[in-house]
Amino acid sequence: MTIHQPRYSKEEFAQIGEQIYEMQIRPKIEAGNEGKIVAIEIETGDFEFDASEIAACDRLESRHPDAQIWIVRIGSRYVRR
């Protein structure tokens, strides 16, 4: 099992992830997908979305094995409650 090391501070990581989601992804996929999870590779902007957090992350990691993944729930400020 590979251990991924963070390449950004928590603040930078959150800022980059939110910016990519709000500017590039949200306008394209929000309608009709409320409640689904979006997994974003913050260095490339590539993303996957699914009802399952694990499924979205697995598909994204299959393309980007060393991904730095930011996760967002569509239509919510929280991924988990």
Side-chain angles (χ1 to χ4, degrees):
M1 179 176 176
T2 303
I3 298 174
H4 300 283
Q5 296 297 319
R7 294 187 287 274
Y8 302 93
S9 71
K10 290 178 182 180
E11 293 79 17
E12 288 175 308
F13 185 70
Q15 183 180 14
I16 294 167
E18 283 297 321
Q19 185 177 25
I20 291 169
Y21 177 70
E22 290 296 329
M23 297 178 76
Q24 298 174 24
I25 300 169
R26 183 178 176 190
K28 295 177 187 175
I29 67 168
E30 187 173 53
N33 290 303
E34 189 165 326
K36 291 185 179 177
I37 295 290
V38 181
I40 305 165
E41 204 293 306
I42 66 167
E43 292 183 327
T44 64
D46 195 12
F47 70 95
E48 284 287 341
F49 67 100
D50 198 286
S52 164
E53 179 179 341
I54 293 170
C57 288
D58 284 351
R59 287 196 308 270
L60 193 55
E61 285 182 323
S62 73
R63 293 194 308 274
H64 305 279
D66 198 28
Q68 298 286 292
I69 299 176
W70 177 253
I71 299 171
V72 177
R73 183 176 300 277
I74 299 171
S76 176
R77 292 179 48 196
Y78 307 101
V79 173
R80 299 179 194 96
R81 295 179 192 199

